Amino acid sequence: MLPVAAVLPSSSVAAEETVTTAAPAARASRYDATIRWTEHGIPHITAKDWPSLGFGSGYAAAEAAICTLADTLITARGQRSRWFGPNGNYDDYVSMNGTNLQIDTLVTDIHNRRVVEKLLTSKAGPGTQARQMVAGYAAGVNKWLRANRVTDPACAGAGYLRPNVTALDLWYGVYTANVLASTGTFVKEIVDAAPPTPDDLGLPVSLPRVASDVTPERAARIRAALRPDVAFGSNATAIGGDKTTTGKGMLLGNPHFPWRGRYHFTQQHLTIPGVYDVAGASLIGSPVVNIGFNNDVAWSHTVSTAYRFTPYEYKLLVDPTLYLTASGPKRLERRVVEVKVKRENGSIGTVREDLYRTDVGYVVDSAATLMGWTPLTVWALRDANGEQLRTIDTFLNMGKARTVRDLLRRQDAGGGMPWVNTTAADRRGDVLYADHSVVPHVTNSMKALCRSEIGIVLDQVAGLPGLDGTFADGRCAWGADKDAQRPGILGPRNLPDVVRRDWVHNANDSYWTPNDQVRLEGFPTIIGCEQCPRTMRTRMVAQYVMDQLADGGKESPASLASHQYENRMRAAEVMREDGALDAVCAATGEKRACEVLKRWDGRSDVDSVGTHIFEVFLTRLPDNGVWKEAFSFTDPFNTPRGLNVDNSLVVRAMQRAIDSLRRRKIPFDAPWGTLQVAGDRGAPAIPLGGGMGDEAGNANALAARKTKQNKRFFRPITYGSSHIQSIAFLSGGRVSARTILTYGQSENPRSPFSTDQTRLFSQEKWVSFAWTDAEIERDLLRTERIRG
């Protein structure tokens, strides 16, 4: 076959057909898949059975992202130190961050405890089709490695690029992704946890006894430490048949994910003729579509506010490794782990590390979140996602759904939606919002009985109930619902959802407001807050729909898709009411900057002038006193409002913003596209619209995080809008599918599919996704049959 860098770049060239087979053998091939590659390098995989479908998926994923895929598998094996040295840093760009040795210590201990192997044989483990898909995926990766030369400079020639991937490797990769928002958040605090000594008692500077002892700044730091994944955002809007011009459902989904690392997407279309047909996007290492559509249902996901774990606080007895339970004292389990490491001279050595566990889970030493290991108490985490391996099943079977109710039923039967909400639309015209993710079974009555003293503070400050470990295997153990897939998690009847025919949405705020009229209330607080403020981004996503539906209007396929590129900024719209924003700027005495801000179009298009002044202003606002009218739970989409022009700190924020831009020699009248550009690996400085999400109220949220490319620009983007899809069901069984993968299908900068979609994104264009056979033939670049 053609090497990655030489894939035919245009459908104007005759489509090529290639057959890639293993060495001649007497027996028939176990795997047999056909991949039709269409424009932008999108693979359409057809097979007769589930193992072969997985085989094609693994092969296509390796072609798109072999370096990240290999890195993900090395991490899942606990071998980062072996290949990259113990002191190098691992960052998944969401929550798991630490040295290679810290990551390997935790992952190796999970291996030593045979966690995944045990789950594979349990009720919380995968079904037959999911197993077959994963086994096939591993074989497909190996097939690609045997058949191709790696040209991506990020890993070309690396010694770990071997065709030895196993299904177990993949399952450990799935497991580490599942615990992203729980155990994965506390890698350092787990691995570095050690009994307090006379020189280091593990005490924070001050240990609050009531929530009022915690300053707003400290509370914000606690919440950020407990939920680093909250920046892992998304928008999703579904319009029901009563409010569409088609009378059928429509969906606009935009997950805000990293543009690199294991949580970036690749596109694929999976088909078993007459059995299964689904397309969309998959995270690295996933053989199934995570966000996508079939001929009758489309869905997207947004990160949920629910917690996936609970901390248990144990009282200690004299010895800091001896803790109290209802049945008497118990000794912490000290687990010693041996990790292979690459020494500076290139030789391989062994390092011994240790970590601790109680009966519920790993001990954490996290003074920053009020969970330090002191002479008096120790904390351990119970992780609901650490007790399941049902994620692949859940997504696989959602792809079979025919209505949104069927979609939710299949999701509930799977019991493995790890940390996201679901928003969906169907051909019948129904739309769904649901947070039926994996949530510990901690009801409000149970937490009232079981919170420790510090656990009450944690709950009040961050919504996370810290429970009394003394009774962790009794009255404070997680409960069970008859309708749940397994004990220990909340069942569907205790989780929020709504099916409508008008519209629903979510933009990472809690489940409370699925639209401007519906309120979901009375659920356990561990899922999220009720009657609480919405971000400006949530307000913007809702405002697009409310404006379109005003005065009896309806959403069309074109109008819904257009919201993606409108680049309105709700905070600017609210702050400009009654001329307040201009008045604040005028109060600084600055002339030139205020003239630019006054003429600004209030958007973040590439040709908008003044966007940067407003965004920098937002980053310097005080925590309090910004608004004249405070938040009201009776009007959550319109409050707070009224920029407080009389607050000197608000005026000071504007002055500091202007001063900052002047010091950096950034022209006040610079077009936004000259400042904000693509920043992912190998990308040229392509101008990008969109911008700051929650604070500015921009639904097309983009961010620069840990950028290495195009650093000389004001904002080189590495995070945000990713696999965007606008799906509309049409008459005659047709589907209108507009998609864009903002950073391109291939992570290899030498591939023509590395930046082609980024350029389309810059131009506010869409890819017309090839869904039917006729459309695939129209866009076909080449056909490849693979066997193994």
Side-chain angles (χ1 to χ4, degrees):
M1 65 168 278
L2 294 171
V4 173
V7 171
L8 297 177
S10 171
S11 59
S12 63
V13 179
E16 174 177 328
E17 183 168 1
T18 305
V19 178
T20 305
T21 62
R27 65 177 179 82
S29 297
R30 180 179 179 185
Y31 302 107
D32 188 345
T34 298
I35 306 177
R36 290 177 289 176
W37 304 88
T38 57
E39 291 181 345
H40 310 293
I42 300 171
H44 303 260
I45 303 157
T46 302
K48 294 181 180 180
D49 54 41
W50 300 103
S52 295
L53 194 63
F55 184 64
S57 176
Y59 189 93
E63 177 145 337
I66 187 58
C67 292
T68 295
L69 180 54
D71 187 88
T72 299
L73 295 172
I74 289 169
T75 305
R77 292 168 175 167
Q79 294 180 352
R80 299 195 62 80
S81 300
R82 160 67 179 83
W83 291 103
F84 309 125
N87 299 322
N89 186 72
Y90 174 73
D91 188 348
D92 68 6
Y93 304 106
V94 179
S95 67
M96 187 178 284
N97 185 295
T99 66
N100 290 332
L101 182 59
Q102 288 170 327
I103 301 295
D104 288 342
T105 298
L106 177 59
V107 174
T108 300
D109 189 62
I110 293 171
H111 274 270
N112 291 347
R113 292 172 46 230
R114 297 181 60 80
V115 171
V116 168
E117 290 88 339
K118 293 174 183 176
L119 285 173
L120 286 169
T121 62
S122 74
K123 182 181 179 182
T128 300
Q129 291 174 357
R131 291 170 185 269
Q132 291 173 336
M133 286 284 284
V134 168
Y137 188 97
V141 175
N142 291 333
K143 178 69 176 180
W144 190 92
L145 284 167
R146 292 188 185 100
N148 292 271
R149 178 177 60 87
V150 176
T151 63
D152 190 333
C155 67
Y160 52 78
L161 291 174
R162 302 171 182 171
N164 60 357
V165 179
T166 68
L168 191 61
D169 292 333
L170 265 296
W171 285 119
Y172 269 100
V174 171
Y175 184 87
T176 57
N178 283 351
V179 299
L180 168 152
S182 42
T183 299
T185 299
F186 295 95
V187 173
K188 297 175 182 177
E189 293 80 1
I190 290 170
V191 173
D192 293 345
T197 65
D199 295 329
D200 179 11
L201 297 179
L203 296 170
V205 175
S206 62
L207 197 60
R209 293 298 172 186
V210 293
S212 58
D213 292 342
V214 182
T215 65
E217 295 79 10
R218 188 178 184 187
R221 290 195 300 272
I222 291 171
R223 289 192 293 270
L226 289 170
R227 290 297 306 270
D229 63 303
V230 294
F232 194 38
S234 303
N235 316 317
T237 303
I239 313 296
D242 288 355
K243 300 297 181 180
T244 65
T245 58
T246 63
K248 303 179 186 303
M250 302 192 304
L251 175 82
L252 175 62
N254 180 358
H256 303 149
F257 275 47
W259 282 26
R260 57 187 176 179
R262 70 166 305 179
Y263 296 109
H264 87 257
F265 289 107
T266 59
Q267 294 173 275
Q268 63 174 340
H269 181 181
L270 301 173
T271 304
I272 299 177
V275 176
Y276 195 68
D277 198 19
V278 63
S282 306
L283 294 174
I284 300 299
S286 171
V288 293
V289 168
N290 301 123
I291 288 175
F293 65 96
N294 61 30
N295 214 58
D296 297 300
V297 182
W299 74 94
S300 195
H301 296 298
T302 54
V303 172
S304 155
T305 57
Y307 282 102
R308 314 298 159 191
F309 66 97
T310 58
Y312 281 90
E313 184 179 20
Y314 295 86
K315 296 179 177 65
L316 294 175
L317 306 170
V318 187
D319 184 333
T321 64
L322 195 64
Y323 63 97
L324 184 63
T325 73
S327 58
K330 281 192 175 182
R331 181 76 60 184
L332 292 176
E333 180 187 10
R334 177 175 178 258
R335 298 187 57 81
V336 177
V337 177
E338 293 187 348
V339 178
K340 298 290 185 183
V341 302
K342 183 179 181 179
R343 299 190 180 105
E344 291 185 5
N345 64 5
S347 64
I348 304 300
T350 301
V351 172
R352 290 166 62 90
E353 293 286 333
D354 63 4
L355 25 67
Y356 293 83
R357 287 180 59 85
T358 71
D359 289 343
V360 301
Y362 286 109
V363 167
V364 294
D365 187 1
S366 178
T369 59
L370 310 182
M371 297 188 295
W373 190 347
T374 76
L376 301 178
T377 64
V378 66
W379 294 80
L381 304 182
R382 184 175 176 187
D383 185 346
N385 271 322
E387 299 175 8
Q388 66 98 3
L389 208 59
R390 296 281 301 168
T391 305
I392 300 299
D393 291 80
T394 301
F395 287 114
L396 173 65
N397 287 304
M398 286 170 63
K400 302 174 184 177
R402 290 293 171 259
T403 67
V404 295
R405 295 181 190 276
D406 185 27
L407 184 90
L408 187 58
R409 179 184 64 79
R410 291 175 181 276
Q411 186 180 128
D412 291 338
M417 187 56 66
W419 24 257
V420 289
N421 305 288
T422 301
T423 301
D426 68 26
R427 182 172 293 281
R428 294 184 181 182
D430 288 334
V431 292
L432 163 76
Y433 162 77
D435 186 351
H436 281 212
S437 52
V438 174
V439 185
H441 193 290
V442 177
T443 62
N444 293 343
S445 58
M446 189 271 250
K447 79 167 187 178
L449 176 68
C450 289
R451 289 176 301 178
S452 68
E453 187 175 358
I454 297 300
I456 293 174
V457 178
L458 270 178
D459 193 20
Q460 293 172 340
V461 167
L464 175 65
L467 306 178
D468 187 345
T470 306
F471 305 102
D473 60 352
R475 69 188 189 207
C476 298
W478 295 351
D481 283 338
K482 292 181 179 179
D483 60 340
Q485 193 271 335
R486 59 190 175 277
I489 58 173
L490 294 173
R493 290 185 181 85
N494 273 323
L495 293 166
D497 66 73
V498 64
V499 174
R500 306 278 296 178
R501 288 193 62 83
D502 49 5
W503 65 281
V504 294
H505 83 306
N506 185 265
N508 305 118
D509 278 319
S510 69
Y511 56 85
W512 177 49
T513 53
N515 69 20
D516 61 333
Q517 300 298 317
V518 176
R519 301 294 177 264
L520 300 177
E521 297 182 339
F523 294 92
T525 61
I526 195 170
I527 309 172
C529 62
E530 298 171 5
Q531 301 186 359
C532 50
R534 311 286 87 176
T535 66
M536 281 291 181
R537 179 163 58 87
T538 289
R539 290 168 65 175
M540 187 72 264
V541 173
Q543 197 68 44
Y544 279 134
V545 180
M546 291 188 288
D547 288 350
Q548 184 67 28
L549 300 185
D551 300 321
K554 292 190 175 185
E555 288 277 16
S556 69
S559 70
L560 183 63
S562 73
H563 299 330
Q564 167 56 38
Y565 289 126
E566 288 187 52
N567 292 325
R568 289 168 57 184
M569 302 171 73
R570 189 59 182 154
E573 295 174 355
V574 174
M575 289 181 174
R576 279 181 152 174
E577 292 173 359
D578 301 321
L581 184 64
D582 290 335
V584 166
C585 197
T588 67
E590 296 280 353
K591 300 296 185 183
R592 179 60 180 145
C594 294
E595 290 173 359
V596 171
L597 194 62
K598 189 170 185 177
R599 293 197 303 268
W600 173 48
D601 63 8
R603 298 177 186 250
S604 60
D605 293 330
V606 293
D607 57 356
S608 295
V609 176
T611 306
H612 58 306
I613 300 174
F614 181 69
E615 285 205 358
V616 177
F617 164 63
L618 292 178
T619 66
R620 284 157 172 76
L621 284 171
D623 292 329
N624 299 296
V626 173
W627 305 105
K628 289 183 177 180
E629 183 175 344
F631 168 75
S632 169
F633 72 87
T634 62
D635 193 12
F637 290 101
N638 294 301
T639 59
R641 65 186 168 209
L643 183 62
N644 190 354
V645 299
D646 299 322
N647 185 342
S648 62
L649 294 180
V650 173
V651 176
R652 178 185 170 192
M654 182 65 77
Q655 184 65 65
R656 290 175 62 201
I658 294 170
D659 290 344
S660 172
L661 293 170
R662 185 179 287 122
R663 281 194 305 272
R664 297 176 64 180
K665 298 182 180 180
I666 298 174
F668 298 135
D669 61 354
W672 187 230
T674 67
L675 304 175
Q676 179 171 270
V677 301
D680 54 317
R681 181 169 64 88
I686 300 169
L688 299 177
M692 183 184 292
D694 287 357
E695 299 87 350
N698 199 326
N700 190 11
L702 297 174
R705 298 179 185 169
K706 302 178 182 179
T707 301
K708 297 179 181 178
Q709 185 87 2
N710 301 326
K711 294 178 70 173
R712 66 185 179 87
F713 288 86
F714 176 74
R715 181 176 293 160
I717 297 303
T718 59
Y719 195 102
S721 297
S722 57
H723 176 260
I724 309 166
Q725 59 177 10
S726 183
I727 310 298
F729 297 106
L730 307 177
S731 61
R734 295 172 299 135
V735 179
S736 168
R738 295 175 170 97
T739 67
I740 194 80
L741 186 60
T742 57
Y743 38 74
Q745 174 75 357
S746 175
E747 68 177 8
N748 183 354
R750 296 179 177 177
S751 167
F753 306 130
S754 174
T755 60
D756 56 335
Q757 292 195 64
T758 309
R759 296 185 188 280
L760 293 178
F761 180 59
S762 172
Q763 298 162 15
E764 301 186 354
K765 294 180 179 179
W766 294 92
V767 171
S768 180
F769 191 92
W771 171 242
T772 66
D773 282 337
E775 291 165 346
I776 292 170
E777 289 301 315
R778 176 198 68 198
D779 293 346
L780 187 64
L781 299 181
R782 61 189 172 96
T783 298
E784 186 173 1
R785 184 174 180 182
I786 55 173
R787 295 170 176 168

